[in-house]
Amino acid sequence: MIRFLALMLLPVAACAEVPQGAPNAGFSPAFAEQTRAPALPTTNVQVDVLTDKLDRPWGIAPISARQFIVTERGGTMRIINGDGSVSAPIRGLPEIESRQQGGLLDVAVSPDFANDRVVFWTYSKPVNGGTVTAAARGVLSGGEMTKVRDIFVQNPPSRAPFHYGSRIIPMPDGTVWITTGERNEERHLAQDNSTTYGKVIRINADGSIPADNPFVGGGGDDAIWSYGHRNPQGAAIGPDGALWTIEHGPAGGDELNRPEAGRNYGWPIISYGVNYNGSDVGSGVAVQEGMEQPVYYWDPVIAPSGMAFYDGPYAPWQGDLLIGSLNPGELVRLKLENGRVVGEERLLQDMGRMRDVEVLPDGTVLVLMDNSYGVVLRVRPR
């Protein structure tokens, strides 16, 4: 347990550059700011534990100033109160298959949640032939989810319980962003736009398709926004109003992207990583005409998960991107200028797997951890 962190001030050690191992041989960045940004000035952060009573949590979202809804990968959804107490499981969820990387995954609430009480979530849905990444919505009423229905179901099913992607972001204009992985064993489908594997998906909140999606009317599944993604487990709306995503590479090559309509992000043809056995991804190149470059990449990896842009009273962090790292396990801060990364900081090092990040209106950063115990940290820069 990590209760000893309560109200502890954690200074992050300064270093000339962000500590990293040797990169994979044979790859050079496509532009100067694409990897290994200079170390940012050290930040002192105050950290306390909101709760340590969760089991394999995956996603968290605020539903009021002092209440948060959280998913547990085994298939339960709960409410965390401001005093750290945790509710009983919310009733009314659909059947969920929790195996390997699958289960109940991300959660988000309607931009008008105070009035409509609508909750969105993603999960691995059992179907004939395996599982699919699915997104659902419901209305939270007391301790029960009512009016539950799927608004997106990936196709086709897979028997591989990996790479579900699964971040979900409902937007004020009534659209919803969803990220999907390529399920590992079907990686080639990330380039097949008749499927929704390895894609960024854009739908309406009722499951219908926005008329201005890039493949509407032919050339691919109408729900697809961008393709050629591996396993995007992070997504956030930036200060520029655009969607930003982050995805796991193989051995090396985690990517930060700003997905544009109809664009191809290259997986599994190009990558700054190699396969886990050391063999080449595709033809062993990281740049190819007609395929997009990541805004930034890590080699070695940080195993990125949830992320959020900071918008709060601590001026040195304003507009910065905060990313949860599963391995080595830390909170990664990126400073961006003119769409490029100009600095990086590693915080909360050696504390464990950081699965999701949420920035509250007062500038408090919630960090969801899914070690052998499930913890929510409150982090405040000083």
Side-chain angles (χ1 to χ4, degrees), residues 302-315:
I302 61 168
S305 195
M307 69 186 202
F309 285 89
Y310 183 83
D311 182 10
Y314 186 66

Side-chain angles (χ1 to χ4, degrees), residues 216-245:
V216 169
D221 189 295
D222 289 351
I224 295 171
W225 178 261
S226 62
Y227 64 105
H229 300 282
R230 185 174 182 265
N231 188 23
Q233 288 195 344
I237 304 302
D240 57 358
L243 176 74
W244 293 69
T245 62

Side-chain angles (χ1 to χ4, degrees), residues 2 12 14 58 81 132 136 153 182 201-202 219 231 234 242 250 262 310 341 356 363 369:
I2 58 172
V12 180
W58 210 96
N81 298 304
V132 295
V153 178
E182 35 70 294
I201 299 299
R202 180 174 177 255
N231 188 23
Y310 183 83
V341 176
D356 199 7
M369 301 181 66

Side-chain angles (χ1 to χ4, degrees), residues 128-196:
N128 290 335
T131 60
V132 295
T133 298
R137 60 175 287 173
V139 176
L140 183 62
S141 178
E144 183 175 7
M145 202 68 71
T146 64
K147 300 181 181 178
V148 172
R149 62 188 180 92
D150 288 331
I151 58 171
F152 169 78
V153 178
Q154 186 185 56
N155 67 80
S158 171
R159 296 196 181 280
F162 307 105
H163 296 191
Y164 289 90
S166 283
R167 290 295 168 189
I168 186 166
I169 303 176
M171 298 292 291
D173 68 357
T175 59
V176 178
W177 296 107
I178 303 165
T179 66
T180 70
E182 35 70 294
R183 304 300 296 279
N184 188 37
E185 294 179 7
E186 287 84 11
R187 61 168 61 184
H188 64 284
L189 294 181
Q191 291 290 321
D192 181 350
N193 283 348
S194 69
T195 78
T196 53

Side-chain angles (χ1 to χ4, degrees), residues 327-338:
N327 185 16
E330 54 203 359
L331 183 64
V332 178
R333 177 170 72 100
L334 298 183
K335 184 166 290 295
L336 294 95
E337 292 180 2
N338 301 317

Side-chain angles (χ1 to χ4, degrees), residues 1-337:
M1 298 301 225
I2 58 172
R3 293 180 189 272
F4 68 88
L5 284 173
L7 303 179
M8 181 178 177
L9 194 65
L10 297 177
V12 180
C15 56
E17 61 182 28
V18 174
Q20 300 185 71
N24 290 313
F27 296 115
S28 298
F31 49 88
E33 305 91 350
Q34 199 179 18
T35 192
R36 296 183 176 239
L40 292 166
T42 301
T43 306
N44 286 338
V45 292
Q46 178 179 310
V47 180
D48 65 279
V49 177
L50 174 60
T51 186
D52 58 6
K53 299 178 175 64
L54 302 173
D55 179 24
R56 295 184 297 158
W58 210 96
I60 189 169
I63 60 173
S64 71
R66 291 185 56 79
Q67 282 192 313
F68 314 97
I69 192 165
V70 64
T71 56
E72 295 174 314
R73 194 151 49 87
T76 50
M77 191 181 293
R78 301 177 188 270
I79 302 297
I80 303 172
N81 298 304
D83 63 1
S85 60
V86 178
S87 76
I90 294 169
R91 303 182 302 277
L93 298 184
E95 183 182 1
I96 295 161
E97 181 165 318
S98 176
R99 182 166 61 96
Q100 298 286 348
Q101 295 177 7
L104 182 56
L105 302 172
D106 201 19
V107 65
V109 301
S110 161
D112 193 30
F113 179 81
N115 295 313
D116 63 25
R117 306 289 293 177
V118 172
V119 178
F120 297 85
W121 64 91
T122 55
Y123 67 108
S124 53
K125 180 182 180 71
V127 296
N128 290 335
T131 60
V132 295
T133 298
R137 60 175 287 173
V139 176
L140 183 62
S141 178
E144 183 175 7
M145 202 68 71
T146 64
K147 300 181 181 178
V148 172
R149 62 188 180 92
D150 288 331
I151 58 171
F152 169 78
V153 178
Q154 186 185 56
N155 67 80
S158 171
R159 296 196 181 280
F162 307 105
H163 296 191
Y164 289 90
S166 283
R167 290 295 168 189
I168 186 166
I169 303 176
M171 298 292 291
D173 68 357
T175 59
V176 178
W177 296 107
I178 303 165
T179 66
T180 70
E182 35 70 294
R183 304 300 296 279
N184 188 37
E185 294 179 7
E186 287 84 11
R187 61 168 61 184
H188 64 284
L189 294 181
Q191 291 290 321
D192 181 350
N193 283 348
S194 69
T195 78
T196 53
Y197 279 56
K199 308 298 193 294
V200 171
I201 299 299
R202 180 174 177 255
I203 59 174
N204 292 317
D206 62 0
S208 63
I209 303 296
D212 59 347
N213 272 9
F215 296 105
V216 169
D221 189 295
D222 289 351
I224 295 171
W225 178 261
S226 62
Y227 64 105
H229 300 282
R230 185 174 182 265
N231 188 23
Q233 288 195 344
I237 304 302
D240 57 358
L243 176 74
W244 293 69
T245 62
I246 194 165
E247 63 188 79
H248 291 261
D254 290 346
E255 294 185 3
L256 172 67
N257 289 299
R258 185 178 180 274
E260 296 186 48
R263 299 292 181 88
N264 181 357
Y265 288 81
W267 182 260
I269 298 172
I270 61 173
S271 175
Y272 284 96
V274 298
N275 292 313
Y276 295 125
N277 63 7
S279 63
D280 289 340
V281 172
S283 59
V285 299
V287 179
Q288 184 166 310
E289 186 176 356
M291 296 182 182
E292 304 303 312
Q293 283 291 298
V295 173
Y296 194 71
Y297 71 87
W298 289 267
D299 180 17
V301 300
I302 61 168
S305 195
M307 69 186 202
F309 285 89
Y310 183 83
D311 182 10
Y314 186 66
W317 280 19
Q318 188 61 36
D320 291 357
L321 184 55
L322 304 175
I323 302 158
S325 161
L326 299 170
N327 185 16
E330 54 203 359
L331 183 64
V332 178
R333 177 170 72 100
L334 298 183
K335 184 166 290 295
L336 294 95
E337 292 180 2

